[in-house]
Amino acid sequence: MEPASLENLSVLHHSENYIVVNKHWDIRIDSKMWYEKQTVQSQLKHHFPELADPGTYYGFRFCHQLDFSTSGALCVALNKAAAGHAYRCFKERLVTKAYLALVRGTVAEERMTLDFAVGKNTTEGKTHMMCIEGAEGCENPKPSQTELTVLEYGAYEGDPVTKVLLQPLTGRTHQLRVHCSAIHHPIVGDYTYSLRTDNTPYRMMLHAYFLLIPLEKEPIQVIASDPFLPSLDSKWAPQRCLNPLDDLLKNILTKQQAEMKASQEEPETVHRRKSIPVESEEEKAECQQWLCEWNLD
């Protein structure tokens, strides 16, 4: 529960081209606000000043996003070419991600595919939020899928909660938080999607546990250790285990390896046509906003 600081940066992987850090739960990736001194970007500059690229706005190229209150594996590219290679893996949906979460209540189904289109909430007072299709003020919803698997049942501060593994199949803003809220099991400590009612826990209980980026020359596979253990947080009391996390991780790796093998056996033209979704103009603009510094032209 130690607060974020410039010093406490946990590095999971470091090579010539990439750094993967275990992001703290109360720190932004980057910020243009002068008063926000503590960000992952400032941590990286503090620990690795020689690796900062003065040709970029933030000094480092973040390959993907994690919310302010989400902890876990975050990949940073250290040069333009590395950023481009990682971007292509994300664009072609080749990246495998798995998150751990504690959610409110008892999730009845052991395995679920959450299939709710997610869009921008235009309702007054909620424009910082996303919402599911059909909700009042939901604008431009896009298909979104998340696989949920129950790990354990237990209690947090005496209230029933379920520990789950979440695998996003798409990458919409706030997707996991919105999907959990949509099935009436919001993430513990999610102040925003509990409509400002869940403010007792010290953090939002969402953690990017596993990240696999199948880069051709330098595959990256990291685990950011599970923070939701009673030895680390005495308020969490597991009571019954349904699916051991290690077993699920083995299944994820086996499935990913089988998919990669199958794709390699297909003709290249067929594989690329199946793997690369058609990008809308909005998606292209969003990618440019995130990755404009990475242009390889």
Side-chain angles (χ1 to χ4, degrees), residues 139-210:
E139 183 178 274
N140 195 24
K142 295 179 180 176
S144 309
Q145 296 86 33
T146 301
E147 291 184 354
L148 179 152
T149 305
V150 172
L151 296 169
E152 294 177 285
Y153 294 124
Y156 193 84
E157 294 184 301
D159 295 322
V161 300
T162 306
K163 186 174 182 177
V164 298
L165 185 77
L166 300 170
Q167 293 176 256
L169 305 183
T170 51
R172 311 303 179 200
T173 301
H174 295 182
Q175 176 177 314
L176 302 181
R177 299 165 66 185
V178 172
H179 276 177
C180 288
S181 178
I183 61 169
H184 308 293
H185 293 289
I187 295 171
V188 173
D190 190 343
Y191 183 70
T192 298
Y193 288 97
S194 67
L195 301 180
R196 302 181 179 182
T197 60
D198 198 351
N199 58 3
T200 303
Y202 72 98
R203 62 162 291 180
M204 181 175 71
M205 305 299 177
L206 179 62
H207 177 73
Y209 172 70
F210 176 76

Side-chain angles (χ1 to χ4, degrees), residues 152-155 228-230 236-240:
E152 294 177 285
Y153 294 124
F228 307 136
L229 301 172
W236 159 235
Q239 294 167 351
R240 183 162 65 97

